[in-house]
Amino acid sequence: MGRKGIFLDFQRVDSLFTGLAQAYVKREADVASLFPYDYSSLESYWRRSKWIDEYCSIPRNAVAEILVEEQHRLSLLAGTNGDDNKALEAAKNINHSQSLVVITGQQTGLFTGPHFTLLKAFTAIAHAQRLQDFLGRPVIPLFWMATEDHDFEEVSKTELAQGEKVHTIALADKRASKKPIGQLNLPEKWLETVDAFTSLLPQNDKGSEWKRFLMELSSRTSSFSDFFAVLIHRLTASYGLVIFDPMNKAFKELDETKTFYKELIKKHDSLAKELSHACGHIRSLGYEPQVEKPAQQLYLFYHHDGERKAIVKESGLDKSSVPCFQVLNSEVSFYEQELIELLQQEPTKFSSNVISRPLWQDRIFPTIAYVAGPGEIAYYASYGPIYNLMNQQMPPILPRLSVTFVEGYIGKLLNRYNSTFEDFREHADHIMAQAIKAEDKLSIDLLFDLLRSDVQESYQKIIEPLAKWDLHTGKLAEENFERVIGQINYLEKKAQQRHRQNCQEIKKHFNKLQSHLWPGGPQERILNVLPYLIKYERLTDELLEVPMEYLDSHLLLYL
């Protein structure tokens, strides 16, 4: 069923989320029970806002001050000002006593990475405005950059579809260390990477403008995460999206952060037990837990020798009953009190992991909702008991927009081959084979079936008489028949081969459909979004119009 938007057509199809995440977006009862709120009900956000007012003590003044400074720095790098930068005012509004925040986040991908990164941002922006209108209080969208993450492989490439091919732009240097992404500088051959990327952007005035901007930005910043932050800021500042970097020293030095880290240490055994029970419950529902950790592993990382290392709890340095903590792959270890004292003095040496990050998030922000992808939804399914143990409450988890962009010529190709997105995704080879067969003007299959039938009929007339006359000669006739059929089959194979060569246009069309619609997986998880935003200037406005009730589906946007 479709909807006409500002200038585009939406079509809803079944969600591409799988497993637990799909059950969640469809609000199946057993999975929904793992979460305290129904994301599809506005009442959930009203109840959450009341919970925040009653139970949360948020350091609004300090947080707003840090974020305002950060948005100002990004605006200088991006060249956004005036009406182009509502993010600065949004950051100031966090200081408002009634303010709330819709949060989302993602790894700092190369040139923004796959386009679901921006889909998350647009979902947060739209939902924040929706809730602000509904609740009558400031609601700010915020993007949490995963700069503490150390998986370089996840952020080191991006892909763009052009014609029949998907082109991969990848950083030349491979970094195997566990250094946080937020500490990485742009590589030596960065300008070559920028040039390769921009050569694949639309060759129009806006594409040229983006090429100039990316080249200029390369001379103004040396940080990989700053480059990402400025791109996101440039694309979303006019909508008031606030960019947050968890590696900002000022956030680590907040009393709320230090207190939170201390609680993670003190309550570790209980937290590990609750996570184990939660994972067991998820298995009992027929799903595999998305996140499990060894019972001894602390929900904090320690930054040592430029790398981010896990911390494990052991029985004692001197075989006593006093607990101690060992930093993996190092000779560093601490008694519990020593570890607590260190995090009080140098909190920047620590960072949260996949379990503690959302909990820390909700200690420093009045989180009215978190916009999540399918993997994150599966993570959060295990977190309810952990939230409770930390005297917190999981916020409503809102599924991000899930979208495939269908450009005009791609839509026409689908129509030409009488195919839908779902048919093509599941049966592309079959549909192409049918299209090639339809181009067979000679009816090659029928032609050779008739020939084989005629030959078989003719041979049958001589094989039986020859066999009766002389058994040896009859067998020779049978062998001769098999050789003739083999030659006919060979000739048919060559005819079909020539036919397929004559159908190169069809193959090219299907290669083009593959590269643009399903390039080895969902388009939103692979292709970069900038070419679409450059070609279709009002695309962002259209995405911000998507109704909340569409979030349980995958959307086809016909451009």
Side-chain angles (χ1 to χ4, degrees), residues 149-158 170-171 173-177 181 184:
D149 194 273
H150 55 255
D151 192 343
F152 180 72
E153 187 65 28
E154 283 197 16
V155 302
S156 62
K157 69 176 183 178
T158 194
L171 296 178
D173 56 339
K174 299 296 181 184
R175 308 181 188 192
S177 76
I181 300 300
L184 297 181

Side-chain angles (χ1 to χ4, degrees), residues 157-413:
K157 69 176 183 178
T158 194
E159 299 181 75
L160 302 89
Q162 190 176 78
E164 302 162 43
K165 295 182 180 179
V166 174
H167 300 267
T168 300
I169 305 297
L171 296 178
D173 56 339
K174 299 296 181 184
R175 308 181 188 192
S177 76
K178 291 189 175 182
K179 190 173 185 178
I181 300 300
Q183 293 179 0
L184 297 181
N185 290 326
L186 297 176
E188 290 182 8
K189 297 183 178 180
W190 176 250
L191 289 180
E192 293 179 20
T193 304
V194 174
D195 190 57
F197 176 76
T198 55
S199 71
L200 296 169
L201 294 179
Q203 301 302 301
N204 56 21
D205 289 345
K206 196 171 181 183
S208 299
E209 178 188 329
W210 268 96
K211 180 171 184 175
R212 286 193 300 274
F213 172 73
L214 293 174
M215 287 295 186
E216 291 169 3
L217 180 59
S218 300
S219 66
R220 294 200 295 268
T221 181
S222 58
S223 162
F224 189 85
S225 58
D226 265 2
F227 200 94
F228 173 89
V230 173
L231 288 189
I232 299 295
H233 178 80
R234 180 180 169 91
L235 290 166
T236 62
S238 62
Y239 301 99
L241 184 73
V242 175
I243 309 296
F244 169 77
D245 183 353
M247 291 193 70
N248 188 318
K249 181 180 177 181
F251 283 105
K252 295 295 182 71
E253 292 179 342
L254 291 172
D255 289 339
E256 287 76 9
T257 300
K258 296 176 185 178
T259 300
F260 173 70
Y261 285 171
K262 181 179 178 180
E263 282 186 53
L264 289 177
I265 296 170
K266 287 289 190 181
K267 294 182 177 180
H268 170 72
D269 292 343
S270 297
L271 289 169
K273 186 176 180 180
E274 291 294 346
L275 180 65
S276 177
H277 287 163
C279 290
H281 180 52
I282 287 172
R283 282 196 176 90
S284 74
L285 297 177
Y287 302 100
E288 193 61 27
Q290 187 77 6
V291 58
E292 285 188 283
K293 297 291 179 184
Q296 297 79 20
Q297 187 170 320
L298 198 63
Y299 299 162
L300 280 174
F301 283 103
Y302 181 71
H303 295 238
H304 178 67
D305 288 342
E307 293 191 341
R308 189 172 178 240
K309 298 178 182 290
I311 308 170
V312 295
K313 185 176 182 180
E314 297 185 343
S315 59
L317 289 171
D318 53 4
K319 298 184 180 180
S320 68
S321 60
V322 179
C324 76
F325 296 86
Q326 176 73 39
V327 178
L328 287 184
N329 302 316
S330 80
E331 297 180 356
V332 179
S333 59
F334 306 95
Y335 284 115
E336 182 179 281
Q337 191 54 40
E338 290 176 329
L339 187 62
I340 291 172
E341 289 175 0
L342 180 63
L343 69 84
Q344 294 293 329
Q345 296 163 6
E346 299 183 76
T348 55
K349 286 184 174 288
F350 298 86
S351 61
S352 54
N353 77 347
V354 68
I355 298 168
S356 56
R357 189 210 65 76
L359 292 152
W360 179 42
Q361 155 197 293
D362 299 340
R363 288 288 184 96
I364 59 176
F365 293 110
T367 312
I368 186 68
Y370 184 82
V371 174
E376 291 170 303
I377 290 170
Y379 286 143
Y380 269 100
S382 302
Y383 293 168
I386 293 176
Y387 265 91
N388 293 338
L389 187 60
M390 295 294 284
N391 298 314
Q392 296 177 238
Q393 183 195 68
M394 188 194 304
I397 306 302
L398 187 74
R400 66 160 170 81
L401 273 172
S402 180
V403 175
T404 292
F405 299 130
V406 184
E407 297 189 78
Y409 62 96
I410 296 297
K412 288 177 182 177
L413 285 179

Side-chain angles (χ1 to χ4, degrees), residues 9 77 144 163 179 184 187 278 282 292 303 310 314 324 453 457 491 507 549:
D9 282 326
L77 289 170
W144 182 300
K179 190 173 185 178
L184 297 181
I282 287 172
E292 285 188 283
H303 295 238
E314 297 185 343
C324 76
S453 178
E457 184 179 348
L491 182 60
K507 288 184 177 180
E549 58 266 27

Side-chain angles (χ1 to χ4, degrees), residues 73-139:
R73 186 179 73 86
L74 293 176
S75 69
L76 291 176
L77 289 170
T80 55
N81 51 62
D83 292 339
D84 293 332
N85 190 3
K86 293 186 173 66
L88 198 59
E89 190 62 32
K92 293 176 183 176
N93 277 342
I94 292 178
N95 192 26
H96 192 288
S97 62
Q98 291 285 295
S99 70
L100 301 165
V101 179
V102 174
I103 300 180
T104 193
Q106 189 57 40
Q107 282 91 349
T108 56
L110 183 61
F111 303 113
T112 74
H115 72 239
F116 71 76
T117 299
L118 268 295
L119 292 177
K120 280 183 163 185
F122 298 149
T123 308
I125 293 165
H127 197 53
Q129 185 59 58
R130 203 175 283 131
L131 292 181
Q132 182 165 291
D133 294 342
F134 173 67
L135 297 171
R137 50 196 291 185
V139 182

